[in-house]
Amino acid sequence: MTKLVRFSVSMEEKLVATFDRLARKRGYANRSEAIRDALRAQLVRQEWKEGEEVAGVITLLYEHGRAGLSKRLTEIQHHALRQVISTTHIHLDHENCLEFVAVKGRAERVQKLADSLISLKGVKHGELAATSTGKRLL
Amino acid sequence: MTKLVRFSVSMEEKLVATFDRLARKRGYANRSEAIRDALRAQLVRQEWKEGEEVAGVITLLYEHGRAGLSKRLTEIQHHALRQVISTTHIHLDHENCLEFVAVKGRAERVQKLADSLISLKGVKHGELAATSTGKRLL
Amino acid sequence: MTKLVRFSVSMEEKLVATFDRLARKRGYANRSEAIRDALRAQLVRQEWKEGEEVAGVITLLYEHGRAGLSKRLTEIQHHALRQVISTTHIHLDHENCLEFVAVKGRAERVQKLADSLISLKGVKHGELAATSTGKRLL
Amino acid sequence: MTKLVRFSVSMEEKLVATFDRLARKRGYANRSEAIRDALRAQLVRQEWKEGEEVAGVITLLYEHGRAGLSKRLTEIQHHALRQVISTTHIHLDHENCLEFVAVKGRAERVQKLADSLISLKGVKHGELAATSTGKRLL
């Protein structure tokens, strides 16, 4: 399905040796896969910079006991139906919850949605983790 | 339950004005909450640096068609039972899947688990997004 | 000259305690200064995101022995006279040089200049470190 | 002097095309150099994580009018003679100065030095930009 191409790269011997050592340490089976991953990671950062269609996850750490908070979180997510794919909820301890909201859409919209969730009172930490829809990576 | 304290801060007028404008733009209802969030974000980065008990999510973008891959992803997660809390799977399109693995544990262990998943052949992009267990933030 | 304002913030006792401990560890004399720095760091990230007038430094690690490289680096910097403020050169060892190019200008232009320097053959590592012109921070 | 090796890499056609397009946009003359840079950037991040001997630049934005500040900045740098290589000073406007301190040493020491400068009252923004001594990259 996906067409593979093969090409050659020249590199300083020492650079290859250091890169191989690091790749092995992180669990890569071979050099090609480690190189492909390095390139794809760079492309994902670029997709986000350029405002392309992206995917990601919004991480929300909050206290479930806070009055009205989970209702508000749900409302905002419902108003962003086109961006929100799914939500996973985790009970960390008696007070703290972790919620992962999987999202997809234009980088700017997704960022705006993340801001509106993270800025709520009672949300103690939030972050938008960037990944890709994979369309331009394959 | 959580004891609140109140203290005063002095700040250049212009700095307050710029910060307030930005906070409003991101959806904060008041300045105090925006300040608390800025401090907590700094603390979460520090928890990760210092190898504390942390929480996070590993984002994995991969092709489900790749032989043996989803089996391998599952095996690795099962071997890391103490770190893995739950996994959410999303079908992005005919070829691409997105998987969010919620994790908890020592920063170093969690990073090692992320490396071993991301380095698998067929995983096109992966990232470890850092958050906190909330224990030291409240 | 700069007008100071004083206002009060309420915060969970535990959050204050953790933040104070971290601030002391990093050398802050008092809590107010640590809080101001946390807010300003957030504003600088925002200035760069929004394409404002920014300042920064481009770090270039390269081999001085590479034919034509230092000439090329100088030419590019001369063509970007309005962005480049000054350049510092350091001899790391027999082969490696470090060059710090202080820059100022619209975020996008500054990024483009950094790209054109970092992408030259013989430049082994380069990065654009973001700071601010300070105009909106004070 | 530096021995070059040549090896081949296989990659999805689409990934190569996207990477090539991005590399051209950032000014790379050829694919090999763009790939080498992507690998070296990853290695530099790793050197810092692992506490190796690193190089970098500490960016300091401050008001020169603040009593005692520039004296204090100089003192701290003198006490860190082994880490500090050189300092460049730039007059941004009537109030604001930019100072770039080129540093070298163990990652942890360099971070500690940066913290002690950035945490001073009157320093409005500071950052430690990471690069490498180049020893393991060539």
Side-chain angles (χ1 to χ4, degrees):
Chain A
M1 320 180 284
T2 314
K3 209 185 144 193
L4 285 178
V5 291
R6 176 169 279 274
F7 57 90
S8 74
V9 184
S10 69
M11 216 169 272
E12 297 86 351
E13 200 176 23
K14 206 169 165 181
L15 174 58
V16 181
T18 312
F19 185 75
D20 280 355
R21 193 175 52 73
L22 175 63
R24 260 195 313 276
K25 198 176 155 185
R26 290 188 300 163
Y28 283 97
N30 63 66
R31 184 193 295 160
S32 270
E33 177 61 10
I35 290 180
R36 286 193 295 265
D37 263 18
L39 305 196
R40 284 186 292 234
Q42 225 177 52
L43 295 180
V44 169
R45 283 195 290 273
Q46 199 62 23
E47 285 185 345
W48 278 83
K49 260 195 191 171
E50 296 183 354
E52 302 277 342
E53 162 108 352
V54 297
V57 59
I58 303 169
T59 310
L60 301 167
L61 173 71
Y62 65 93
E63 302 165 76
H64 67 89
R66 170 84 58 171
L69 178 58
S70 57
K71 187 163 165 288
R72 194 79 196 91
L73 286 170
T74 308
E75 280 170 7
I76 293 178
Q77 293 179 44
H78 272 272
H79 275 102
L81 265 185
R82 301 180 80 171
Q83 278 83 46
V84 175
I85 308 175
S86 82
T87 302
T88 308
H89 186 101
I90 286 152
H91 310 283
L92 276 179
D93 58 32
H94 279 296
E95 284 168 352
N96 293 298
C97 297
L98 208 46
E99 205 157 297
F100 298 113
V101 187
V103 288
K104 200 168 79 164
R106 296 254 137 214
E108 204 188 344
R109 290 238 170 163
V110 164
Q111 180 69 59
K112 215 178 156 62
L113 170 61
D115 281 347
S116 67
L117 292 166
I118 294 168
S119 61
L120 288 177
K121 198 165 175 169
V123 175
K124 294 200 234 165
H125 185 256
E127 217 184 52
L128 171 57
T131 184
S132 164
T133 61
K135 280 177 200 158
R136 306 200 314 168
L137 295 189
L138 180 62
Chain B
M1 321 179 282
T2 314
K3 209 184 146 195
L4 285 179
V5 292
R6 177 170 278 273
F7 57 90
S8 73
V9 184
S10 70
M11 214 168 274
E12 296 86 350
E13 199 176 25
K14 207 169 164 182
L15 173 58
V16 180
T18 312
F19 185 75
D20 281 354
R21 193 177 51 75
L22 175 63
R24 258 196 313 276
K25 198 175 154 187
R26 290 189 298 163
Y28 283 97
N30 64 65
R31 183 192 296 161
S32 271
E33 177 60 10
I35 290 179
R36 285 191 296 265
D37 263 16
L39 305 196
R40 285 186 293 233
Q42 227 179 50
L43 295 180
V44 170
R45 283 194 291 273
Q46 198 63 22
E47 284 184 345
W48 277 83
K49 262 196 191 170
E50 296 183 353
E52 302 277 342
E53 162 108 351
V54 297
V57 60
I58 303 170
T59 310
L60 301 167
L61 173 71
Y62 66 93
E63 302 166 75
H64 66 90
R66 170 84 58 174
L69 179 58
S70 58
K71 189 165 165 284
R72 193 78 195 93
L73 286 170
T74 308
E75 280 169 8
I76 293 178
Q77 292 179 44
H78 272 271
H79 276 103
L81 266 185
R82 301 180 82 171
Q83 278 83 47
V84 175
I85 308 175
S86 84
T87 301
T88 308
H89 186 101
I90 286 151
H91 310 283
L92 276 179
D93 57 33
H94 280 294
E95 285 166 353
N96 294 298
C97 298
L98 210 46
E99 206 157 297
F100 298 112
V101 187
V103 289
K104 200 170 80 165
R106 295 254 139 215
E108 205 189 344
R109 292 237 168 164
V110 164
Q111 180 68 60
K112 214 177 158 62
L113 170 62
D115 281 346
S116 68
L117 292 166
I118 294 168
S119 62
L120 288 177
K121 198 165 174 170
V123 174
K124 295 201 236 166
H125 185 256
E127 217 183 54
L128 172 56
T131 184
S132 163
T133 61
K135 280 178 199 156
R136 306 201 311 169
L137 294 189
L138 180 61
Chain C
M1 320 179 285
T2 314
K3 210 185 145 194
L4 285 179
V5 291
R6 177 170 278 275
F7 57 90
S8 72
V9 184
S10 69
M11 215 168 273
E12 297 85 351
E13 200 176 24
K14 205 169 166 184
L15 173 57
V16 180
T18 312
F19 185 75
D20 280 355
R21 194 176 51 73
L22 175 62
R24 260 196 314 276
K25 197 175 156 187
R26 290 188 300 163
Y28 284 97
N30 62 67
R31 184 193 295 161
S32 270
E33 177 60 9
I35 290 179
R36 284 192 297 264
D37 263 17
L39 305 196
R40 284 187 292 233
Q42 224 178 53
L43 294 180
V44 170
R45 283 194 291 273
Q46 198 61 22
E47 284 185 346
W48 278 83
K49 259 195 193 170
E50 295 183 355
E52 301 277 341
E53 162 109 350
V54 297
V57 59
I58 304 169
T59 310
L60 301 167
L61 173 72
Y62 65 93
E63 301 166 77
H64 65 88
R66 170 82 60 171
L69 178 58
S70 57
K71 189 164 165 286
R72 195 76 196 95
L73 286 170
T74 309
E75 280 169 8
I76 293 177
Q77 292 179 44
H78 272 271
H79 276 102
L81 266 185
R82 301 180 82 171
Q83 278 83 47
V84 174
I85 308 175
S86 83
T87 302
T88 308
H89 186 100
I90 286 152
H91 310 284
L92 276 179
D93 58 33
H94 280 295
E95 285 168 351
N96 293 299
C97 297
L98 209 45
E99 205 157 296
F100 298 112
V101 187
V103 289
K104 199 170 81 165
R106 294 254 138 216
E108 203 189 347
R109 290 236 169 166
V110 164
Q111 180 68 59
K112 212 176 159 62
L113 170 62
D115 281 346
S116 67
L117 293 166
I118 293 166
S119 61
L120 288 177
K121 198 167 173 167
V123 174
K124 295 200 236 165
H125 185 254
E127 216 183 55
L128 171 57
T131 183
S132 164
T133 62
K135 280 176 199 156
R136 306 201 312 170
L137 293 189
L138 180 61
Chain D
M1 321 182 284
T2 315
K3 210 185 144 193
L4 285 178
V5 291
R6 177 169 279 275
F7 57 90
S8 74
V9 184
S10 69
M11 215 168 272
E12 297 86 350
E13 199 176 24
K14 206 169 165 184
L15 174 57
V16 180
T18 313
F19 186 74
D20 280 356
R21 194 175 52 74
L22 175 63
R24 259 196 314 277
K25 199 176 155 188
R26 289 188 301 163
Y28 284 97
N30 63 66
R31 184 193 295 161
S32 271
E33 177 61 11
I35 290 180
R36 285 192 296 265
D37 264 18
L39 305 196
R40 285 187 293 234
Q42 225 178 52
L43 294 180
V44 169
R45 283 194 291 273
Q46 199 60 23
E47 284 185 347
W48 278 83
K49 261 196 191 170
E50 295 182 355
E52 301 277 341
E53 162 109 351
V54 297
V57 58
I58 303 169
T59 309
L60 300 167
L61 172 71
Y62 65 93
E63 301 166 75
H64 66 89
R66 171 82 58 170
L69 179 58
S70 57
K71 188 165 165 288
R72 194 76 197 94
L73 285 170
T74 308
E75 280 170 6
I76 293 178
Q77 293 180 44
H78 272 271
H79 275 103
L81 266 186
R82 301 180 83 171
Q83 278 84 46
V84 174
I85 307 175
S86 83
T87 301
T88 307
H89 186 101
I90 286 151
H91 310 284
L92 276 180
D93 58 32
H94 280 295
E95 285 168 352
N96 293 299
C97 297
L98 209 46
E99 206 157 293
F100 298 112
V101 187
V103 288
K104 201 170 78 165
R106 294 255 137 215
E108 203 189 346
R109 289 236 170 165
V110 164
Q111 180 68 60
K112 213 178 158 63
L113 170 61
D115 281 347
S116 67
L117 292 166
I118 294 167
S119 61
L120 288 177
K121 197 166 174 169
V123 174
K124 294 199 237 166
H125 184 256
E127 216 184 54
L128 171 57
T131 183
S132 165
T133 62
K135 280 176 200 158
R136 307 201 311 170
L137 294 189
L138 180 63

